[in-house]
Amino acid sequence: VAVEARQWALLNPKAWEREPLTVADVLGSRMVSHPLTVRDCCLVSDGGGALVVTSAARARTLRKPPVFVLGFGEALSHQSISNMPDLSVTAARESGAAAYRMAGLGPKDIDVVELYDAFTLCTLLFLEDLGFCAKGEGGAFVASGAIAPGGSLPVNTNGGGLSYCHPGMYGIFVLIEAVRQLRGECGARQVSGCHTAIAHGNGGVLSSQCTVILGSADTL
């Protein structure tokens, strides 16, 4: 997960981390909390973001192509991590299901995925819980190169919280990158034929999950 996030970051001139990263580098880096090394944890950086939200009618009159909210969902499963019903399952299952239902889409219809990767384990959990691979198969899915540049499912195309930036709260950046991809503004990291995107945020201690499905005008 960390290596493939870095591969995307190398295509992003504004990413904080701009040096190649290998699996050996990740495994050999400073341990933070077993089994997570410092390279399994998000950055600590400065940064900020903003979004303009308006009606579809108003958006069509503005200078840049609009991106449309097709569906969304949110779910809360616990407060304290000690009360998490199952450490391998998050409420992204519920928030994702609600977003898919509203959008009338499923995982196979999504072109790009932007996930809150506070830790490498978050990427695995959300890929599974949002339906991009079966429960327990996230590791093999990522190891196959699926989420890397050129893979079958582009994930965290800006480099994510692991390699792009993380100024305390990363959630707005998954939305910003999804919008940029849908507008075709991403240069070397642009996903070809991108018309749908998921932006997924995580809050608390894996407790609060929010999923938004965005689309270009071609999806309406």
Side-chain angles (χ1 to χ4, degrees):
V1 171
V3 169
E4 295 182 0
R6 184 63 59 86
Q7 290 173 2
W8 282 110
L10 293 175
L11 302 175
N12 182 359
K14 293 190 175 181
W16 180 264
E17 293 287 358
R18 300 281 295 148
E19 296 294 328
L21 185 69
T22 67
V23 171
D25 293 333
V26 176
L27 296 177
S29 59
R30 176 172 57 86
M31 189 65 65
V32 174
S33 182
H34 184 79
L36 303 179
T37 74
V38 69
R39 294 303 177 193
D40 290 296
C41 304
C42 61
L43 301 172
V44 178
S45 74
D46 291 333
L51 296 164
V52 175
V53 182
T54 187
S55 69
R58 174 75 173 121
R60 288 187 177 95
T61 70
L62 303 179
R63 286 180 294 175
K64 288 197 173 185
V67 167
F68 299 90
V69 177
L70 306 180
F72 60 87
E74 58 182 323
L76 180 70
S77 55
H78 60 278
Q79 252 185 331
S80 168
I81 192 71
S82 62
N83 299 124
M84 189 172 178
D86 183 336
L87 290 171
S88 70
V89 179
T90 74
R93 277 188 170 181
E94 287 72 39
S95 65
Y100 288 133
R101 189 163 53 247
M102 184 181 294
L105 300 174
K108 62 179 175 50
D109 302 310
I110 303 301
D111 296 323
V112 69
V113 178
E114 309 295 343
L115 305 172
Y116 195 140
D117 54 342
F119 305 96
T120 49
L121 64 92
C122 296
T123 301
L124 297 176
L125 288 171
F126 301 149
L127 284 171
E128 294 175 351
D129 291 342
L130 293 171
F132 295 105
C133 56
K135 181 55 65 179
E137 295 182 3
F141 182 70
V142 171
S144 74
I147 72 172
S152 60
L153 184 71
V155 173
N156 291 347
T157 52
N158 57 5
L162 294 170
S163 282
Y164 170 48
C165 75
H166 194 291
M169 295 292 181
Y170 182 72
I172 197 168
F173 294 98
V174 298
L175 288 164
I176 290 170
E177 180 67 5
V179 168
R180 286 174 170 163
Q181 284 287 347
L182 291 167
R183 284 179 171 165
E185 297 175 339
C186 290
R189 70 183 190 277
Q190 180 62 47
V191 174
S192 178
C194 183
H195 298 292
T196 58
I198 269 189
H200 181 79
N202 161 64
V205 279
L206 288 175
S207 46
S208 173
Q209 306 295 332
C210 297
T211 310
V212 179
I213 298 176
L214 301 173
S216 67
D218 294 333
T219 63
L220 299 181

